[in-house]
Amino acid sequence: MDTNLWIRGPLGPDASARRTRVCKNVLVVVPTVAAGTRLLDVLPLVEADFRAQALFTVPHTTDVWPGLGDFVRAQGGLAVPWQQAVRHRWDLVLAASHRHLPDLDGPILLLPHGAGAAMSRRYSRKAGGAQVPTTGLDRELLTYRGRALPAALALPHEDELSLLGRLCPEALDRAEVTGDICLDRMRASLPFRHQYRQALGVPDDELLVTVSSTWSPDSLFGRLPRLCRALLDEFAHVALVLHPQVWTVHGRRQIAAWLSDCPGLRLIPPDEGWRATMIAADWVIGDHGSTTAYAAATGRPVTLATCPDVREGSIAAVVREHAPQLRRNRGLAGQRAEAVDRAAVLQNAVLPAITSRPDAAAPALRALIYRLLGLPEPSHAPAAGAVPLPRHG
């Protein structure tokens, strides 16, 4: 083995001569910012334990996805080169993406990185011209050469068990319904709406409109890039939440240039802040992405600006069924009133579509983590904490 590949951390050659504590090693796999941010919700359930050590890795090189290395470094955790990560036996691997799982050695806890383990789009955006529908719970994603990849599969909803049983029965005995920790954190954050609005510079008696867009040409930002400019003509306070993939593929400078005619726009960074901004919002205009669904599940008035071909029965389909559609030939103020009138009905439909275990994800996920680590759980009760104050550009 080429020891030049090994960082001088708590593992690898001569690690016993360097360690202060002997710990179970937990690897946090960050192939995308979206996956990384979801794992940062889960990591606090274990990282404060003196018996565990968390380490991060970016698959292959940071050059594959620009900015990903900066995201990992900003967390302040110990980063392990991918070449080292694939040569080590891990006590636990935390993952929120199907990518690169066959390369890793150790029990894998796989979580979804958005709303629901079964994605809303009928066809994968990553397979151009795909003709076979996919859900995210398919055999081709969860197995490798006949072997189920995750040691544990965390599902937000009971209904996903039956879907998994049809699509990949090999993984059914590894699945556990845990709820959705992202949504639980948003629900725990609702009492701090005033503080979030203050951080965004929005007075209590004024409206905040938040535009929520996933990535791809059929997203809101892909189809209606000038919507923020139109909103700023009618509303003093407008925020824009873009999927991390938009930032990664197009770059911070280009996004700022595209929005240069939107003075005063609150541009929310891709790593954190979108949840607080949704809670602070008086009206969310979104698309089929997870951020829009989460906003609806927390009671925000939502209007759909675009919603492409989504899977019947999916979370996005539920939002589409109950949320009003944006009509460009009508005044925006009146459309907000319609969204407000329908917000309660929308929430009552979307919340149970995202999770069948509201406010239960932290204890369920911690129990799963410690079972995989082979350690008894700490005595204190786990909790899904409130999200931090938002930043904006």
Side-chain angles (χ1 to χ4, degrees):
M1 179 182 296
D2 182 359
T3 57
N4 291 327
L5 295 176
W6 293 79
I7 63 166
R8 299 297 185 245
L11 50 100
D14 301 322
S16 59
R18 297 187 295 269
R19 288 190 296 243
T20 298
R21 291 195 57 81
V22 178
C23 300
K24 299 276 191 176
N25 288 317
V26 178
L27 183 67
V28 183
V29 186
V30 187
T32 64
V33 173
T37 54
R38 179 54 55 94
L39 295 178
L40 291 177
D41 284 341
V42 177
L43 192 54
L45 299 174
V46 67
E47 67 177 339
D49 195 321
F50 284 111
R51 299 169 295 173
Q53 159 89 57
L55 302 98
F56 295 78
T57 192
V58 175
H60 301 307
T61 68
T62 57
D63 296 330
V64 175
W65 292 108
L68 190 54
D70 293 337
F71 167 77
V72 171
R73 282 188 290 273
Q75 309 315 314
L78 186 63
V80 178
W82 180 248
Q83 299 94 328
Q84 182 174 352
V86 297
R87 294 184 180 187
H88 187 72
R89 169 71 184 181
W90 300 94
D91 298 299
L92 176 64
V93 176
L94 294 178
S97 168
H98 301 96
R99 302 180 186 188
H100 312 295
L101 298 185
D103 300 326
L104 296 164
D105 185 12
I108 297 170
L109 170 54
L110 180 61
L111 303 101
H113 61 260
M119 68 184 194
S120 287
R121 291 184 60 95
R122 289 186 62 199
Y123 301 100
S124 172
R125 288 172 290 194
K126 301 179 183 72
Q131 298 174 326
V132 178
T134 185
T135 68
L137 294 175
D138 308 286
R139 179 179 284 116
E140 66 181 54
L141 297 174
L142 297 175
T143 65
Y144 178 70
R145 295 183 176 178
R147 171 176 63 92
L149 289 169
L153 178 62
L155 301 179
H157 205 286
E158 292 280 353
D159 291 349
E160 291 165 338
L161 284 173
S162 58
L163 182 62
L164 180 66
R166 294 198 305 272
L167 299 175
C168 187
E170 300 87 346
L172 190 57
D173 64 345
R174 289 125 188 271
E176 186 162 328
V177 179
T178 61
D180 186 309
I181 196 164
C182 176
L183 180 54
D184 287 357
R185 292 195 69 192
M186 292 183 74
R187 285 164 59 86
S189 304
L190 291 173
F192 304 101
R193 173 174 154 83
H194 173 73
Q195 289 91 321
Y196 297 148
R197 290 172 64 85
Q198 282 188 319
L200 291 166
V202 181
D204 289 339
D205 59 347
E206 297 187 25
L207 297 177
L208 171 63
V209 181
T210 297
V211 176
S212 167
S213 178
T214 188
W215 63 281
S216 78
D218 55 14
S219 68
L220 186 157
F221 193 65
R223 290 187 176 181
L224 302 172
R226 299 188 180 279
L227 178 60
C228 288
R229 175 63 269 170
L231 287 166
L232 284 166
D233 290 338
E234 294 198 37
F235 299 94
H237 308 288
V238 179
L240 174 60
V241 171
L242 294 172
H243 191 284
Q245 186 89 331
V246 183
W247 293 85
T248 298
V249 171
H250 297 290
R252 188 176 300 270
R253 180 184 178 90
Q254 185 61 68
I255 291 172
W258 282 334
L259 299 168
S260 58
D261 65 342
C262 298
L265 177 68
R266 279 95 164 153
L267 184 57
I268 308 302
D271 53 341
E272 186 57 87
W274 69 266
R275 292 177 288 196
T277 305
M278 293 299 176
I279 292 167
D282 298 287
W283 184 25
V284 174
I285 303 177
D287 56 18
H288 57 288
S290 293
T291 52
T292 304
Y294 282 127
T298 52
R300 297 302 90 207
V302 169
T303 296
L304 271 184
T306 177
C307 191
D309 187 18
V310 296
R311 184 174 54 85
E312 198 63 36
S314 67
I315 293 170
V318 174
V319 176
R320 182 178 60 187
E321 179 182 354
H322 294 90
Q325 308 292 309
L326 184 69
R327 292 179 287 277
R328 299 301 304 279
N329 59 350
R330 283 188 51 194
L332 292 169
Q335 295 192 64
R336 176 187 170 266
E338 183 182 5
V340 170
D341 289 342
R342 294 171 64 172
V345 172
L346 178 64
Q347 181 184 22
N348 290 337
V350 177
L351 174 59
I354 293 179
T355 177
S356 57
R357 306 279 176 85
D359 305 321
L365 287 170
R366 194 180 75 170
L368 203 50
I369 287 170
Y370 277 86
R371 188 166 77 235
L372 293 173
L373 285 173
L375 293 174
E377 286 190 66
S379 58
H380 65 273
V387 301
L389 295 173
R391 297 175 289 109
H392 63 90

